Amino acid sequence: MDISRLDIHNSDTPELCKSCEVRHKGMCGALNGMELTLLSKHTRQVSQPAGEELVGESTDIDAYDNIMRGVVKLSKTLEDGRQQIVGLQFAPDLVGRLYASESPMTAEAASDVDVCRVPRRILERLIDGNPELRKRLMDQSLRELDEARDWMVTLGRKTASEKVASLLLLIATHLDPDAEGERRVFDLPVSRLDIADYLGLTIETVSRQLSKLKGEKVISITANRHIEVLNFTKLRVRAG
Amino acid sequence: MDISRLDIHNSDTPELCKSCEVRHKGMCGALNGMELTLLSKHTRQVSQPAGEELVGESTDIDAYDNIMRGVVKLSKTLEDGRQQIVGLQFAPDLVGRLYASESPMTAEAASDVDVCRVPRRILERLIDGNPELRKRLMDQSLRELDEARDWMVTLGRKTASEKVASLLLLIATHLDPDAEGERRVFDLPVSRLDIADYLGLTIETVSRQLSKLKGEKVISITANRHIEVLNFTKLRVRAG
DNA sequence: CGTCGAGTTGATGTCGCTCAATGTCAGTGG
DNA sequence: CCACTGACATTGAGCGACATCAACTCGACG
């Protein structure tokens, strides 16, 4: 039986983690050929359109998702429906609370995403045996902690216009890490409601602040989602 | 030369991590006799009164602090002076950003604290050689990440009165984890300003909300800092 | 006592929320 | 081609929660 026919990943030279970026910075870059082969035998690629849930709040975790493409939003909801987005994850992050049996939050595709779904046991076994992988995941966790704490400052102490500027800055730097100069161009991977839920604001306030930034020629907006940053320095100043 | 005279920790049976709780749940509980001895040779106990800084924002990290007693607050400050507390740490937590050369935030004694100060290199060497220690520190980091994200919901989506109730709840559960029934008694380890900076409010608003909870017989306050929770269930409801 | 820091309480102001109307655009069907 | 629809976004008017500013209380300490 030729297992390579069953799954695109079941080949001798695994197709997993194809992109250069993912290979270099992501989890798979820490694996040797044997480990990649093991992984490929148990992994399947999953594509989810924007809005689909990957992991529900307080549901069992039986797999982790390695983001190959797209943006994932992590959110928590109060009983009465108030929602707060507590993080955005970009390729090549790993989605899922390590070592917990139950997810403390919802993970949802913000844009269309492709992920590699790894069974929990498999990943945890790989972690135990591979110090380099362990280090990368530890680094990701610590980076997420730093980002969460930075965002606490934004949520607790910044004004609405600083919040919106901060988010544009965050997305710009994540989607285009090594751009230079004053101009940045990108598509917002999230809706106005998501922005509001990330910033602890309402969609109306977000809209007003975006319009204000537009009026002051700091950014220009076309087709609702397409952002051109005209003056990156000014945007950074406005982010507080 | 009798080195045991030089440092209270330099003895054959190290006096480090004396308390039962610390020994069981803290970092030192993961160490064997040899490791404890190594640690004791390089560790010194430091006592800081409330308000003293342990690590400054964007200063070099050359040591980690293991909390033996007291409460440490972690905070970040914007250029214009606005401050946000991004975490509280209790015994037996380890203070300090692992694997970073520079601290992303200020760590300051909220109450009077005693810490064991461990040189960075020593701790990192111990981590490399001890899977159990590694796991405990990973767990602490992941727990801090969970707490930071929970707090983002509080900061972004809760009202002032829910915020204050949430903080009382947080402190009550940390200072007295396995209490039962409706009553809790504790002393606030932080000032009104700290509370305000943790909740993203002003001291006046904090004060008014505390007075309201007092008026509604949910808590009673004596001597500014001494809190008696009269109705824990009601407090939990108010926390949202 | 007088002073000082921490906390409380009151009066007033304002930023962001609420509610409601309007605009934009893609999709659908006549 | 245009009308209709529904999802999403923008804009405006009014209001309320929290901030700001200021006065006052209280205990600690010289």
Side-chain angles (χ1 to χ4, degrees):
Chain A
M1 166 176 161
D2 179 2
I3 56 169
S4 72
R5 295 283 165 83
L6 295 177
D7 182 321
I8 59 161
H9 297 317
N10 283 343
S11 58
D12 290 322
T13 48
E15 294 288 319
L16 217 51
C17 318
K18 281 172 275 212
S19 101
C20 178
E21 181 199 42
V22 170
R23 200 170 183 84
H24 182 244
K25 299 193 308 184
M27 167 189 118
C28 298
L31 304 177
N32 64 32
M34 219 180 61
E35 291 167 326
L36 280 170
T37 306
L38 167 68
L39 195 60
S40 71
K41 291 228 169 83
H42 296 278
T43 294
R44 65 203 164 86
Q45 187 155 354
V46 176
S47 293
Q48 293 279 41
E52 285 299 302
E53 191 173 284
L54 297 173
V55 192
E57 194 163 345
S58 15
T59 59
D60 289 350
I61 298 176
D62 39 39
Y64 298 101
D65 288 329
N66 197 16
I67 306 177
M68 313 298 291
R69 182 182 67 86
V71 179
V72 171
K73 65 181 203 214
L74 309 174
S75 64
K76 289 179 173 252
T77 308
L78 296 171
E79 301 76 38
D80 61 7
R82 282 176 287 176
Q83 198 178 48
Q84 176 68 46
I85 294 183
V86 297
L88 291 180
Q89 296 195 292
F90 302 77
D93 287 343
L94 186 75
V95 180
R97 169 57 160 88
L98 289 169
Y99 303 119
S101 52
E102 196 174 277
S103 176
M105 62 214 165
T106 304
E108 187 180 324
S111 62
D112 296 348
V113 298
D114 300 336
V115 300
C116 276
R117 182 153 290 173
V118 190
R120 197 179 150 202
R121 297 287 173 83
I122 301 292
L123 183 68
E124 288 172 3
R125 200 203 302 170
L126 281 174
I127 293 173
D128 285 340
N130 185 327
E132 170 64 19
L133 174 60
R134 199 157 56 218
K135 184 67 168 59
R136 290 200 189 200
L137 293 178
M138 182 76 183
D139 283 347
Q140 185 192 315
S141 300
L142 291 171
R143 185 164 32 79
E144 286 179 30
L145 182 55
D146 290 341
E147 285 173 8
R149 286 175 166 161
D150 276 339
W151 209 249
M152 287 172 68
V153 180
T154 299
L155 287 173
R157 288 301 182 203
K158 291 189 187 174
T159 65
S161 67
E162 289 171 324
K163 285 181 177 182
V164 170
S166 299
L167 182 62
L168 292 179
L169 212 55
L170 177 95
I171 294 178
T173 39
H174 267 96
L175 291 184
D176 198 352
D178 28 43
E180 302 208 351
E182 287 298 322
R183 291 181 92 81
R184 304 293 144 98
V185 184
F186 57 90
D187 284 307
L188 284 178
V190 291
S191 68
R192 296 293 189 275
L193 181 58
D194 286 336
I195 296 177
D197 283 343
Y198 199 22
L199 296 171
L201 297 172
T202 58
I203 51 173
E204 293 95 331
T205 300
V206 170
S207 181
R208 279 185 252 272
Q209 298 303 332
L210 285 173
S211 299
K212 209 176 82 188
L213 285 173
K214 200 168 53 177
E216 292 163 334
K217 310 281 183 207
V218 180
I219 59 171
S220 90
I221 308 178
T222 46
N224 279 345
R225 293 286 190 103
H226 188 75
I227 305 283
E228 279 186 70
V229 178
L230 306 174
N231 191 328
F232 197 69
T233 308
K234 212 183 259 184
L235 186 65
R236 212 167 332 108
V237 171
R238 268 145 211 277
Chain B
M1 168 175 158
D2 179 1
I3 55 167
S4 72
R5 295 281 165 84
L6 295 178
D7 182 323
I8 60 162
H9 297 318
N10 283 344
S11 59
D12 290 323
T13 48
E15 294 287 317
L16 217 52
C17 317
K18 282 172 277 210
S19 100
C20 178
E21 183 199 40
V22 170
R23 201 174 182 80
H24 182 244
K25 298 193 307 184
M27 166 191 121
C28 298
L31 305 176
N32 64 32
M34 220 180 60
E35 291 166 326
L36 280 169
T37 306
L38 168 67
L39 194 60
S40 70
K41 292 228 168 82
H42 296 279
T43 295
R44 65 202 165 85
Q45 187 154 356
V46 176
S47 292
Q48 293 280 39
E52 285 298 304
E53 191 173 285
L54 297 174
V55 192
E57 195 162 345
S58 19
T59 60
D60 289 350
I61 298 175
D62 39 39
Y64 298 101
D65 289 329
N66 199 15
I67 306 176
M68 313 297 292
R69 184 183 65 86
V71 179
V72 171
K73 65 182 204 212
L74 308 175
S75 64
K76 289 179 172 251
T77 308
L78 296 172
E79 301 75 41
D80 60 7
R82 282 176 287 176
Q83 198 178 47
Q84 176 69 45
I85 294 183
V86 298
L88 290 179
Q89 296 195 290
F90 300 77
D93 287 343
L94 186 75
V95 179
R97 169 56 159 91
L98 288 169
Y99 304 117
S101 53
E102 197 174 276
S103 176
M105 64 216 162
T106 304
E108 186 180 324
S111 62
D112 297 347
V113 298
D114 300 335
V115 301
C116 276
R117 182 154 290 172
V118 190
R120 195 178 153 202
R121 298 286 173 83
I122 302 292
L123 184 68
E124 289 173 1
R125 200 202 305 168
L126 281 175
I127 293 174
D128 285 340
N130 184 327
E132 171 63 18
L133 173 60
R134 198 158 56 218
K135 185 67 168 56
R136 289 199 190 202
L137 293 178
M138 182 76 183
D139 282 347
Q140 184 191 315
S141 300
L142 291 170
R143 185 163 31 79
E144 286 179 35
L145 182 55
D146 290 341
E147 285 173 9
R149 286 173 166 162
D150 277 339
W151 209 249
M152 287 172 68
V153 180
T154 300
L155 288 173
R157 288 300 182 203
K158 291 188 187 174
T159 65
S161 68
E162 289 171 325
K163 284 180 176 181
V164 170
S166 298
L167 182 62
L168 293 178
L169 212 56
L170 177 94
I171 294 178
T173 40
H174 267 96
L175 291 183
D176 197 353
D178 27 44
E180 302 208 350
E182 287 299 322
R183 293 181 90 81
R184 303 293 144 99
V185 183
F186 57 89
D187 285 306
L188 285 177
V190 290
S191 68
R192 297 291 190 273
L193 181 59
D194 287 336
I195 296 177
D197 283 343
Y198 200 21
L199 296 171
L201 298 171
T202 59
I203 52 173
E204 293 95 329
T205 301
V206 170
S207 182
R208 280 185 251 271
Q209 296 304 332
L210 285 173
S211 299
K212 208 176 83 186
L213 285 173
K214 200 168 56 175
E216 292 164 332
K217 310 283 184 204
V218 180
I219 60 172
S220 89
I221 308 178
T222 46
N224 279 345
R225 293 284 190 105
H226 188 75
I227 305 283
E228 279 186 70
V229 179
L230 306 172
N231 191 329
F232 195 71
T233 308
K234 212 183 259 181
L235 186 65
R236 208 161 343 103
V237 171
R238 266 144 213 274

